[in-house]
Amino acid sequence: MINCPNLSCQTPNSEDTNTCSVCGTPIPHHYLWVVGAAQLGQPGDYLYSRYEIKGERIVLDTQPGLIPESPPEFPSFVLPYLALSGYALNVPRPYALLQDGEGGAVLLLEDAAIAAKTAADIPQLLPALNDCWEGASPLRQLNWLWQIAQLWQPFATERVVSSLLELPLQRVEGATVRLLELRSDSTDTVELSHLGQVWQPLAERAHAGLQDFLQTLCQRLEAGEFTQAEQLIACLDSAVLALGQGQTTEYEIAVQTDQGPVRQRNEDACYPASGTHQTYTIVPQSRALQPLLMIVCDGIGGHQGGDVASQLAIAAIGEHLNAKLTQPHLSAREISAAIETAICAANDQIAQQNDSEARQARDRMGTTLVMALILGPQIYIAHVGDSRAYAISQRSCRQITLDDDVAAREVRLGYGFYREVVDHPGAGALVQALGMNASQSLYPNLQRLIIDDESLLLLCSDGLSDNDRVEQFWRNELLPVLQQRQSAAAGTATLIQLANTYNGHDNVTVGLIRGRAVDAAKQPLPAELASPTPVATRPAATIIAPTAAPPAKARAKSSLLPLLIGIIGLIGIAGGLIAFFFSDLFRERQQLVPPVVNTVPELSTPTAAPPASLRPGTYARIQSLQSSSELPLPLYQTPQLVDSDNPALSGTIVGRLPAGSLVQVIRRQEATDEFRWIQLRVCTSTNQAGNDQADPLDPSEPARPPASAAAASQPTGNEGWVLESQLATLVEAVDRPTAAELSGCDR
């Protein structure tokens, strides 16, 4: 039985019920994977009087209306789940953390690799990748490996990359790889070459046309020819592109926007035009391949111009993509960069109009964005704000974008589980949207999907997604579209109607993209393609983009956009307190102030790519200083607020880096709009001073070393922050550090 989540009702309902028998409230079914419990008990028993045991390590929350349990502090094994919350398609999300009474912790994971209930009423695990391998198409086999390669670097940063080496943890739901749980890395270094060893048995059982390519790839991985995950990704990108060109793919797209029952005007906007319903067939080796573009924007600004901002964004993105994608032979990385550039151009155009009209604070207009760019069997998804994308399969409906709001930020930074922080005041306040600031402080979120069978994507504004309406209605309204029992146009119309009926507080925009691989590609891939330095190619392409610009001035609107100003306190070890003020955007319906939180380094993907030697996870060596009298480079305890007029830094120095030091890049953060900080871990430090000189890793001011001083290696494991502008000219990349040099990084 599941208690009604309506706290004023709480009527017990049978497990096969979707709505409460008394009040009609939707009944959520949270099937959870248990991590950390040695013995659960028998099916039908209860864990902590709340979670019904359904099978081996699978439980059901019978009280979904109550906030799940979580302690004030999390054990270290939980933190990687939070930091990797942006990888929603592949990584399960912490739901609750229970204490077992003996000092241990039991973690419950939602969105784990658990299939929907079977006819026997027992939820089952999704099948293992290893078990489904031989029955998969060639493109799907490549797709699975490509997803694992995409996860390697972020998993390595969080020290859970061992999860990608254990095949039993890798489950599949159609084209998607789903991790059952994460495994922390041991003290031994996990190398990319280990992936070649794990993949070798798969290569031997791969589709005949892939065997030469995959076996060569595994051999080169094991030999250490691939030194960085991005090389492996680029290699698999080339293979996917080559194989995808031989696949016939059908697409059906439909999009519709509606003012809603209470709004005086529609601040949402979409591309193509509302009411569009089209079908496309992309045939193998098509030289006239035209990318398909869908955009959903939700304007912010009330009477100050939210509708203008959303139209500006669509026009600018279309214009920039049309100019870029006409170039032939673009790689996946170049296409991603083109999308980021287009989004930043749209952001700057809106911001410039705000500036030209002297709009300040809450008077500034802006917009959220979610978009899909279709190129053959690949779909690029980008978003800013809280407009969402969902992926619908035969078994599930999953949100694949992570809202740019306070709740998601607090989860990513390790402050709490989503089910807890989402109920905090101001949790839905936006932390970024297009047009509010210069693009230097904008971080578009990008991901890519590969269509190798049947797939359905939903893009929508929060007029539909609020109150979990997508999760409530997907089985009845979206599955028929996926199964071609209903057209995409009928699906969008129905979702608009449901949004207006069950939400009704906002404008609503809905776009559907149904993709289907009609004729799978089977041509063999040459072994020569398994190279660490591939060159990806694709046919030239064009986009039909909107040409008319929106009105230059905003029209009168009905209400003002509130501006949320939060204060983040940064507590330093030296006892200094520096206040950072920032503006968190939020929706007209969410006039709440987010809680004050401590500043910690924030993981985010910058608009401008970092130098190759300063990407997270890479190693670099400090080169010779410009003069023998120059002090070693300082490491700061935390990123500092930098005054562009007086760039002198006064924060707590935890160490110094003399020439010859080997460092690992941990993460990057911007303390302000202009100054970017890099967090480093010191693997080996070379002391250039003589024995009578101060230790360069001593935070105190060191003596200036003589030019002829002997060097001494000091593995340290220290971590600290430096300005990228100071570091970039003093480092050289180190592709393969020695084991001795890496010893300090494990401390």
Side-chain angles (χ1 to χ4, degrees), residues 298-300 368 386 430 462 506 586-591:
D298 183 357
I300 302 171
T368 69
D386 62 357
L430 296 183
D462 55 11
D506 203 354
F586 64 103
R587 315 298 303 175
E588 184 175 310
R589 64 184 180 281
Q590 296 169 325
Q591 302 182 18

Side-chain angles (χ1 to χ4, degrees), residues 175-371:
T176 305
V177 175
R178 304 272 299 274
L179 273 295
L180 192 57
E181 61 185 70
L182 300 180
R183 295 283 172 82
S184 298
D185 296 343
S186 65
T187 55
D188 296 331
T189 302
V190 181
E191 302 285 354
L192 195 60
S193 59
H194 297 159
L195 200 55
Q197 300 172 14
V198 174
W199 284 1
Q200 184 61 48
L202 296 177
E204 295 172 356
R205 297 159 44 215
H207 189 276
L210 294 185
Q211 285 187 4
D212 287 347
F213 167 78
L214 288 181
Q215 288 179 347
T216 302
L217 176 64
C218 291
Q219 292 168 4
R220 291 179 173 175
L221 275 170
E222 292 186 60
E225 296 182 33
F226 288 83
T227 59
Q228 296 184 13
E230 62 185 30
Q231 293 176 305
L232 177 59
I233 294 170
C235 176
L236 291 171
D237 274 338
S238 297
V240 167
L241 179 63
L243 202 59
Q245 287 178 336
Q247 173 178 290
T248 298
T249 311
E250 291 182 350
Y251 289 102
E252 179 188 13
I253 67 171
V255 63
Q256 185 174 342
T257 185
D258 189 82
Q259 179 176 315
V262 299
R263 295 292 188 182
Q264 295 184 5
R265 60 182 51 81
N266 193 355
E267 296 175 11
D268 283 9
C270 62
Y271 181 82
S274 181
T276 296
H277 178 217
Q278 297 172 326
T279 58
Y280 303 86
T281 300
I282 300 175
V283 298
Q285 305 297 336
S286 173
R287 295 189 177 184
L289 179 63
Q290 286 195 343
L292 309 177
L293 180 64
M294 180 178 287
I295 304 175
V296 170
C297 290
D298 183 357
I300 302 171
H303 74 279
Q304 296 297 329
D307 54 342
V308 175
S310 59
Q311 293 288 350
L312 275 173
I314 288 177
I317 290 171
E319 178 184 355
H320 281 77
L321 286 180
N322 185 49
K324 180 64 177 179
L325 295 182
T326 54
Q327 301 177 19
H329 311 310
L330 293 178
S331 67
R333 174 174 292 184
E334 290 171 325
I335 295 169
S336 297
I339 294 172
E340 283 200 26
T341 300
I343 293 173
C344 290
N347 175 83
D348 289 343
Q349 187 168 340
I350 300 170
Q352 288 166 8
Q353 182 155 332
N354 279 326
D355 295 341
S356 68
E357 298 175 2
R359 296 173 182 263
Q360 299 295 328
R362 67 183 64 197
D363 292 331
R364 294 179 73 85
M365 62 181 174
T367 184
T368 69
L369 164 78
V370 62
M371 59 174 285

Side-chain angles (χ1 to χ4, degrees), residues 11-238:
T11 300
N13 292 267
S14 62
E15 190 176 338
D16 57 0
T17 300
N18 292 321
T19 58
C20 178
S21 59
V22 174
C23 69
T25 299
I27 302 294
H29 293 68
H30 297 307
Y31 293 100
L32 311 170
W33 179 250
V34 182
V35 177
Q39 185 67 36
L40 286 185
Q42 299 299 318
D45 293 344
Y46 281 79
L47 187 66
Y48 297 87
S49 304
R50 172 172 176 173
Y51 302 97
E52 182 183 356
I53 299 172
K54 305 301 296 182
E56 184 179 359
R57 297 178 65 185
I58 299 176
V59 298
L60 170 67
D61 186 1
T62 63
Q63 302 176 42
L66 303 180
I67 297 176
E69 303 85 343
S70 65
E73 295 185 2
F74 299 131
S76 59
F77 80 93
V78 174
L79 298 179
Y81 289 97
L82 304 179
L84 296 169
S85 58
Y87 298 88
L89 263 182
N90 310 107
V91 180
R93 183 166 66 181
Y95 185 85
L97 187 65
L98 314 173
Q99 302 298 326
D100 63 7
E102 299 179 358
V106 177
L107 177 64
L108 305 184
L109 298 173
E110 64 176 325
D111 291 333
I114 300 175
K117 292 189 300 181
T118 65
D121 202 31
I122 300 175
Q124 303 285 341
L125 292 180
L126 291 171
L129 181 152
N130 190 48
D131 296 336
C132 298
W133 179 257
E134 293 182 53
S137 68
L139 186 57
R140 176 160 293 184
Q141 290 179 346
L142 281 180
N143 186 2
W144 287 341
L145 300 184
W146 175 80
Q147 290 176 60
I148 293 171
Q150 292 277 348
L151 295 172
W152 185 271
Q153 186 55 58
F155 276 41
T157 300
E158 299 303 324
R159 300 193 176 189
V160 290
V161 75
S162 300
S163 311
L164 303 178
L165 301 178
E166 298 189 28
L167 289 178
L169 297 182
Q170 299 167 24
R171 304 283 166 154
V172 291
E173 182 179 7
T176 305
V177 175
R178 304 272 299 274
L179 273 295
L180 192 57
E181 61 185 70
L182 300 180
R183 295 283 172 82
S184 298
D185 296 343
S186 65
T187 55
D188 296 331
T189 302
V190 181
E191 302 285 354
L192 195 60
S193 59
H194 297 159
L195 200 55
Q197 300 172 14
V198 174
W199 284 1
Q200 184 61 48
L202 296 177
E204 295 172 356
R205 297 159 44 215
H207 189 276
L210 294 185
Q211 285 187 4
D212 287 347
F213 167 78
L214 288 181
Q215 288 179 347
T216 302
L217 176 64
C218 291
Q219 292 168 4
R220 291 179 173 175
L221 275 170
E222 292 186 60
E225 296 182 33
F226 288 83
T227 59
Q228 296 184 13
E230 62 185 30
Q231 293 176 305
L232 177 59
I233 294 170
C235 176
L236 291 171
D237 274 338
S238 297

